[in-house]
Amino acid sequence: MTIGEICSSFNIAGRYINCSELSTGNINSTYLVRFEREGEEKNYIVQRINKSVFKQPEKVMENIVNVTHYVRKQIEEQGLSTQKFVLRAFANKTTGEPFFIDEMGDYWRCYRFIHNSITYDSCEDLGIIERVGSAFGKFQNYLDGFDANSLHITIPNFHNTVERYKVFHGAVKEDVRGRAKKVQAEIKKLFEFEELACKLQKHLDAGEIPLRVTHNDTKCNNVSFDKDTGEALAVLDLDTVMPGAIAHDFGDAIRFIANTTLEDDPNVEKVDLDIDKYEAFAKGFVSQLKNTLTDFERKTLNLGVFAMTVELAVRFLTDYIMGDVYFKTKYPGHNLDRARNQIALSQAIFDKMEVIDTIIKKYI
Ligand code: GN1
Ligand code: MG
């Protein structure tokens, strides 16, 4: 089935022109689609949901519809534009559901592309980084009253670092592809990090930090910006909105935005934690959440930075060892490069823990 045919199953007004595939995103397949309506070009995002990652795509979509509905109401109450500040999933013309199932059984969805918006895969502008922080902080505030129990757990134990390590240990032991023996240094390093990286989950299990509704994939390219004014618009990619710790969102965001290079740069000597970027994000994020965070939660934010970075290193290395079955890869060894990059970043975070602890105290 062509993307044009997929589009025709959604309630989009106008005439389909063409589409191009976007290569960002490690899970779903994403297309930017152009339509023409009354002489104007209108853009949409069409995505095939990865069924081996999201086993029940209809549950993912139900979460997204409920969450965006909840956020939209608050944006309306503030008198802000719902077209700019919140995602909208289109309904299937026939079923009314927010997805279309093709003849292969694959699930497709369609979002309005926010007019004149842009996302950043990396960012040097500290002002923008601060705005990414406040966008995710605001998102957290919007969802503060949302009933976490009403959400489907679309990927169980998504940020459960203890469980991620269990899978990793199993993969190393079984070594189905004979790859583990070639990456002994990386495995050893991750074993050394295990105890500290799992501490956040232990605090969650012990009920010492609240379980909240979190985004769980807070990369800076999941916030859209107005191309001209630089204003932060909507938070994107709501696939993994699930109960979690605020430290997961803070940590995952810092891991991505404050890396001195891209998360899959194979030149690990380029990897470091950029303290200025750390501070810019922390300032934006924490200033939104000052009145929300509990005392203990505040103390766990930097632990989250370490935990999320190590956890992703574990996930990438596990996937490499198991034969690249989860993340999309662009070349053989891509997951190994990603894992090495995140290991180097974990080390940098570990080494700079005192510095970032001092910085965050300024904002909380
Ligand atoms: C995946 O595909 P994307 O970029 O939205 C992954 C995240 C990782 C990220 C690393 C569902 O997100 O957990 O942090 O890659 N999403 C899922 O780039 O596993
Ligand atoms: Mg995602």
Side-chain angles (χ1 to χ4, degrees):
M1 226 172 191
T2 65
I3 299 295
E5 284 164 344
I6 308 264
C7 287
S8 66
S9 62
F10 291 101
N11 240 330
I12 313 174
R15 186 177 61 86
Y16 172 83
I17 308 172
N18 59 22
C19 75
S20 45
E21 185 165 1
L22 304 179
S23 64
T24 48
N26 300 322
I27 307 291
N28 301 316
S29 306
T30 306
Y31 300 84
L32 176 69
V33 176
R34 296 173 195 85
F35 264 67
E36 188 262 338
R37 188 162 80 237
E38 292 162 8
E40 266 186 68
E41 184 179 313
K42 304 275 176 194
N43 296 325
Y44 302 88
I45 292 290
V46 168
Q47 286 182 309
R48 184 177 62 229
I49 304 174
N50 184 327
K51 261 200 312 185
S52 60
V53 168
F54 297 105
K55 313 269 186 237
Q56 293 178 293
E58 64 284 350
K59 298 267 162 72
V60 173
M61 292 314 293
E62 200 179 312
N63 281 352
I64 293 177
V65 167
N66 291 339
V67 163
T68 51
H69 179 76
Y70 194 82
V71 172
R72 186 173 302 112
K73 272 205 308 213
Q74 294 175 68
I75 285 174
E76 259 163 19
E77 279 162 20
Q78 293 175 17
L80 295 170
S81 155
T82 51
Q83 299 223 351
K84 269 165 82 171
F85 294 105
V86 62
L87 269 186
R88 190 194 136 192
F90 279 84
N92 181 317
K93 264 188 206 162
T94 322
T95 64
E97 287 164 328
F99 51 81
F100 167 75
I101 307 173
D102 69 14
E103 75 280 12
M104 311 284 287
D106 276 322
Y107 284 66
W108 296 81
R109 66 178 168 211
C110 176
Y111 292 120
R112 181 204 307 283
F113 180 86
I114 299 171
H115 180 65
N116 203 40
S117 69
I118 187 169
T119 54
Y120 299 98
D121 291 328
S122 66
C123 185
E124 295 308 316
D125 183 327
L126 296 181
I128 291 185
I129 295 176
E130 189 182 329
R131 273 169 268 157
V132 174
S134 55
F136 281 124
K138 271 187 201 158
F139 187 75
Q140 173 61 54
N141 279 335
Y142 283 139
L143 294 176
D144 199 29
F146 188 95
D147 177 13
N149 292 319
S150 72
L151 285 170
H152 301 292
I153 306 298
T154 51
I155 302 181
N157 296 317
F158 189 59
H159 280 319
N160 185 330
T161 312
V162 175
E163 290 302 316
R164 295 289 187 181
Y165 260 103
K166 276 191 196 154
V167 177
F168 177 51
H169 283 281
V172 170
K173 209 180 248 166
E174 283 178 29
D175 194 16
V176 287
R177 303 290 292 264
R179 289 179 173 181
K181 48 175 138 348
K182 295 185 209 141
V183 290
Q184 284 303 310
E186 288 79 3
I187 293 170
K188 184 167 167 269
K189 196 75 218 170
L190 288 177
F191 286 175
E192 281 168 30
F193 287 151
E194 180 166 358
E195 196 183 335
L196 184 58
C198 289
K199 233 173 132 183
L200 183 66
Q201 185 60 41
K202 303 262 161 75
H203 290 314
L204 261 173
D205 292 342
E208 291 158 351
I209 34 180
L211 202 60
R212 300 182 183 272
V213 177
T214 45
H215 181 281
N216 295 310
D217 189 8
T218 45
K219 307 207 280 195
C220 66
N221 54 13
N222 282 334
V223 175
S224 62
F225 282 86
D226 185 295
K227 234 186 222 170
D228 301 322
T229 66
E231 179 188 20
L233 305 175
V235 168
L236 312 174
D237 188 358
L238 308 178
D239 289 343
T240 49
V241 173
M242 279 184 283
I246 289 189
H248 292 147
D249 277 0
F250 181 72
D252 193 44
I254 294 292
R255 169 198 79 66
F256 190 79
I257 212 166
N259 189 341
T260 47
T261 187
L262 295 177
E263 70 174 13
D264 62 349
D265 190 336
N267 304 305
V268 287
E269 62 284 358
K270 285 206 207 151
V271 175
D272 200 355
L273 179 74
D274 185 317
I275 293 298
D276 294 332
K277 292 182 177 180
Y278 169 88
E279 178 157 4
F281 183 90
K283 190 177 170 197
F285 188 78
V286 175
S287 60
Q288 292 293 331
L289 295 170
K290 264 198 202 121
N291 303 324
T292 311
L293 295 166
T294 68
D295 280 345
F296 192 68
E297 221 173 8
R298 289 186 178 115
K299 293 188 188 130
T300 62
L301 292 177
N302 283 336
L303 184 57
V305 177
F306 182 71
M308 289 299 93
T309 312
V310 174
E311 183 188 279
L312 191 60
V314 164
R315 293 173 62 197
F316 283 146
L317 196 60
T318 303
D319 200 30
Y320 173 73
I321 291 170
M322 295 190 11
D324 306 313
V325 291
Y326 183 91
F327 293 102
K328 287 203 271 175
T329 51
K330 294 189 172 134
Y331 57 89
H334 195 176
N335 274 321
L336 179 56
D337 284 342
R338 288 164 167 158
R340 286 180 170 145
N341 179 306
Q342 296 299 299
I343 290 171
L345 184 60
S346 304
Q347 186 64 55
I349 292 163
F350 183 83
D351 295 341
K352 291 183 177 173
M353 206 38 117
E354 263 178 50
V355 181
I356 59 178
D357 275 345
T358 309
I359 294 173
I360 203 154
K361 286 202 185 104
K362 285 206 265 179
Y363 301 102
I364 48 186

